Amino acid sequence: MRPFRSIALLVAAVPALAFAQGATPARPPAAPGPDATAPASPSPAEPPERQRTQRDAPAVPQSTPDAAQATPSAPAATDEDDTGSTPSAPSPEAQAPAATPPADAPVLDTGEAPRTTDAQQQRLVNGAPLYNPNVNVHIVQKKRFADEGKHELVLYPGVVQVNGKFTNHVGTALHYVYHLQENFALQVGGQYNWYSDESDFNLELIDKVREQAQAASSLLLQWGAHAGVEVTPLYGKFAFFNNSLAQFSLVLSGGAGIGKTRHLIRPEVANEVEGQTYQVPARFGDTGNKFLGEVGGGFRVQFGESYAIRLEVRDLIYTARVDKVDGCNLADFEALESARAANQPFDGLNLSGSCKVAKFDGVDPETKKNYREDIILGRDLVAEPSSDVLNNVSFYAGFSVLF
């Protein structure tokens, strides 16, 4: 019964549909617009069976940069049990969704404009938002402040020796650095040790057993000057107080120069003359200028573009050979000792031109100390010269200005 009923309905619907199309006046086509929709109407040339079983393909939505809207055509809905086949009403307006950024796209809360407004360009390869402050992004950047072509003046107010077994040194250093390149610089430095003395251990040896360390271990450095290079193989930056950045770098230096040395002849002693005691200060002898080498390394922490703090360890290497004391060599001391033993004046002695005879002759008017007693001590220093070298390792703490 059902097939016959469907055929009867189709036969009855065809004349009615033809009559309705002839009676309906033609309407002008509506102007296309963003809200215009095109209802799907069955083609009269097609058989009714195709109208019931085949639907039109929906139209492809067309989008514009301004979020254009698309209206797919709605197919007519048919029902086998309905009494007639009529065109279905057009579907509601379908609007293509506008391109929206992803949920994790960053939102800038500062006054500066973003580098790009494209949501896809704001994403890294691994999906982490580039401008999201809550995401840790590990990147390698160039230094915030370039050093190439800059001058740097470094002051080290405190230079303290750290390997003082037989000697103690405390001084001040001043360095000038010119940065030829970002990681290579030339430097010139000078250092003055306003305190240089034997260590307590060496003084104890002198006081108790009348022995002291050899000159190779106890030679004192008064001042030094050197020139060399400085390289920066590593650098980086760190944050402090949440919103401030500091730039640090590892610096390595090396150079050569000259340094003035001295050696202890006798420590501080008490001199008793005619029942009165005088405190005689320590006596140091000039041992001449020595070749000086310098190697070191440390950290430079730069705050801003013009100021930095330096913490370094440097090793000053100088020859410890003592062949002269106050300009007098071993032959001079032998002649002076012979004249002293014979209680003869030193005027007619055949001495070298560099020997400072006045350092070993006469009596100190304040302490009543006879300087001739130091001749034998000076002779002992040059009697066994050594060719060793001395390492003066010191800690340098200072600050610098870049301009």
Side-chain angles (χ1 to χ4, degrees), residues 89-101:
S91 62
E93 178 183 356
Q95 181 177 359
T100 58

Side-chain angles (χ1 to χ4, degrees), residues 202-270:
N202 198 29
L203 293 177
E204 187 177 358
L205 291 177
I206 298 173
D207 182 57
K208 292 184 178 180
V209 298
R210 303 301 177 184
E211 293 289 342
Q212 64 176 340
Q214 293 183 353
S217 303
S218 57
L219 194 63
L220 303 173
L221 180 66
Q222 288 185 278
W223 57 263
H226 60 84
V229 298
E230 181 180 275
V231 295
T232 307
L234 299 174
Y235 68 90
K237 61 174 181 270
F238 61 91
F240 63 98
F241 294 115
N242 296 330
N243 56 357
S244 300
L245 287 178
Q247 180 175 291
F248 74 91
S249 56
L250 173 66
V251 293
L252 302 176
S253 61
I258 190 172
K260 185 175 180 60
T261 61
R262 69 176 186 175
H263 197 280
L264 179 68
I265 296 179
R266 55 171 167 78
E268 182 179 355
V269 295

Side-chain angles (χ1 to χ4, degrees), residues 163 167 199 207 320 332 399:
N163 68 332
T167 61
S199 66
D207 182 57
D332 296 333
F399 58 91

Side-chain angles (χ1 to χ4, degrees), residues 136-211:
N136 293 327
V137 181
H138 301 278
I139 57 177
V140 177
Q141 293 181 345
K142 292 185 178 181
K143 298 172 67 175
R144 297 177 62 236
F145 306 108
D147 291 336
E148 184 178 359
K150 284 193 173 182
H151 308 266
E152 184 174 5
L153 193 61
V154 190
L155 175 63
Y156 301 95
V159 178
V160 182
Q161 184 181 1
V162 296
N163 68 332
K165 183 177 181 180
F166 297 108
T167 61
N168 287 328
H169 292 85
V170 180
T172 301
L174 181 66
H175 291 176
Y176 165 75
V177 182
Y178 175 67
H179 297 271
L180 283 175
Q181 298 177 358
E182 192 67 22
N183 299 323
F184 182 81
L186 302 177
Q187 67 169 355
V188 178
Q191 177 177 335
Y192 175 73
N193 293 324
W194 35 268
Y195 178 82
S196 59
D197 200 351
E198 304 285 332
S199 66
D200 295 337
F201 174 70
N202 198 29
L203 293 177
E204 187 177 358
L205 291 177
I206 298 173
D207 182 57
K208 292 184 178 180
V209 298
R210 303 301 177 184
E211 293 289 342

Side-chain angles (χ1 to χ4, degrees), residues 85-111:
S85 175
T86 58
S88 62
S91 62
E93 178 183 356
Q95 181 177 359
T100 58
D104 57 353
V107 178
L108 295 178
D109 55 357
T110 59

